[in-house]
Amino acid sequence: MNNINPIYYGVEGLKELNTFIQNNKPSKIVLLVDENTHELCYPKLITEIQADTEIEILEIESGENNKNLYICINLWEALTELKIDRKALLINVGGGVLTDMGGFIASCYKRGINFINVPTTLLAMVDASIGGKTGVDLGSHKNQIGNFVLPKMVLVDVGFLNTLPYEQLLSGFAEILKHGLIADKKYWQKIIELDKIETEHLEELIKISIEIKKNVVSNDFTETGLRKILNFGHTIGHAVESFFLEKNAPILHGEGVAMGIIVESYISMKKSLLSYCEYEEIKSYISLLFPKLNLKKEYFNDIFIFMQNDKKNINNEIKFVLLEKIGKAVYDISVDKELIEEAIYLYIDNE
Ligand code: GLY
């Protein structure tokens, strides 16, 4: 069992952050923000940080199309110009793009400096900032370059969610649904009873989702087996996301994952794993909540090419995470191209 980084909530998090700063005395603190978190989250955070040392701010542009090595190089150059040394602390304040890239930058700069994640989107709170995956995209290939490295801590403040547009909340909600589907049927049922996605309900869901993710990651930090289940909905979801990114029409991560969950649940049923009844339950709930993606059948081959590059593949075979039932996932399952095509076509044809 690996002990993954501590996760603190609300005011306790700010206290722990200040204790960390007092104990470790970083030579400098660098806050990495994007234009949204600079405006909406930085003012709150900066009044809470108690440090004798200098605090620098680095801002990047938000959006998946900025999660690449070129931006990393700019940031490494900026850190060098600021004379940031190995004893500095990087605090990543933002959504999944920023925490993934910030962790990667910190892990390589001068062979590694300490970093802390302050996720400000639902997606980053329940998934991206937890568990030590860092990275950037290579062209349109999502998270192709990266490593496993843990932040010193993750600070979750649900207050930041009030700054988020609804589509961003929905995007993170896809990961919450995934957690119920792969690990806990009662949790899934609790989630689907909600009639609205509101911050007051989310606080409890975030904690449950983080516990589920922590349990999985502690058992398989570098994803040699069990951790793969966290990729349910992502083999197809990531490929579709990459496809739209390449077309210069990016979709939100959760939109791709929601579509991927529907399609991969269908494949699970066709493989005689998931029951028809549970497939219908998943499909109808997710179809009601998420907008349908504007996919065309002629896109299939391009999407399939992205799937051939999925990180879970073994010996050029596309390996899926599928559902045996709601609350139980299985991994490393081979699926024929014909069945993948059938499942995606069905998604496209469904009203
Ligand atoms: N987002 C999937 C994982 O952290 O393994």
Side-chain angles (χ1 to χ4, degrees), residues 192-224:
I192 65 171
E193 273 164 21
L194 295 178
D195 48 2
K196 274 199 206 121
I197 306 175
E198 283 177 327
T199 322
E200 61 176 298
H201 304 129
L202 286 176
E203 196 158 354
E204 189 193 355
L205 301 191
I206 289 168
K207 286 187 178 159
I208 302 175
S209 267
I210 288 177
E211 274 315 298
I212 289 175
K213 179 152 187 185
K214 263 176 79 174
N215 279 339
V216 173
V217 173
S218 315
N219 279 294
D220 178 22
F221 180 55
T222 53
E223 199 171 293
T224 51

Side-chain angles (χ1 to χ4, degrees), residues 127 133 213 223 227 230:
D127 188 34
K133 276 189 181 174
K213 179 152 187 185
E223 199 171 293
R227 184 168 181 165
L230 293 170

Side-chain angles (χ1 to χ4, degrees), residues 70-84:
Y70 303 104
I71 303 289
C72 290
I73 291 171
N74 290 343
L75 288 166
W76 285 318
E77 283 172 352
L79 293 173
T80 308
E81 263 167 43
L82 289 169
K83 301 196 173 23
I84 299 301

Side-chain angles (χ1 to χ4, degrees), residues 127-128 130-133 143 148 175 178-179 213 216-217 220-221 223 227-231 234 238 253:
D127 188 34
I130 313 285
K133 276 189 181 174
N143 305 326
F148 291 96
E175 298 288 352
K178 177 199 77 181
H179 288 140
K213 179 152 187 185
V216 173
V217 173
D220 178 22
F221 180 55
E223 199 171 293
R227 184 168 181 165
K228 293 178 188 175
I229 67 170
L230 293 170
N231 292 298
H234 286 62
H238 261 162
H253 178 66

Side-chain angles (χ1 to χ4, degrees), residues 50-70:
Q50 295 157 8
D52 301 329
T53 176
E54 260 179 273
I55 301 183
E56 306 278 0
I57 304 168
L58 287 181
E59 183 182 311
I60 54 169
E61 226 180 290
S62 62
E64 187 74 32
N65 46 350
N66 296 306
K67 187 178 160 185
N68 56 53
L69 284 168
Y70 303 104

Side-chain angles (χ1 to χ4, degrees), residues 64 67 94-100 119-130 142-143 154 156 161 164-165 167-176 178-179 202 206 209-210 213 234 238 241 251-258 290:
E64 187 74 32
K67 187 178 160 185
V97 167
L98 194 139
T99 57
D100 279 6
T120 58
T121 63
L122 184 57
L123 183 90
M125 287 178 193
V126 296
D127 188 34
S129 73
I130 313 285
K142 296 245 328 151
N143 305 326
V154 180
V156 177
L161 296 182
L164 276 192
E167 320 79 79
Q168 286 284 350
L169 275 186
L170 196 58
S171 179
F173 201 68
E175 298 288 352
I176 289 184
K178 177 199 77 181
H179 288 140
L202 286 176
I206 289 168
S209 267
I210 288 177
K213 179 152 187 185
H234 286 62
H238 261 162
E241 204 187 337
I251 57 168
L252 293 174
H253 178 66
E255 292 172 346
V257 171
F290 286 83

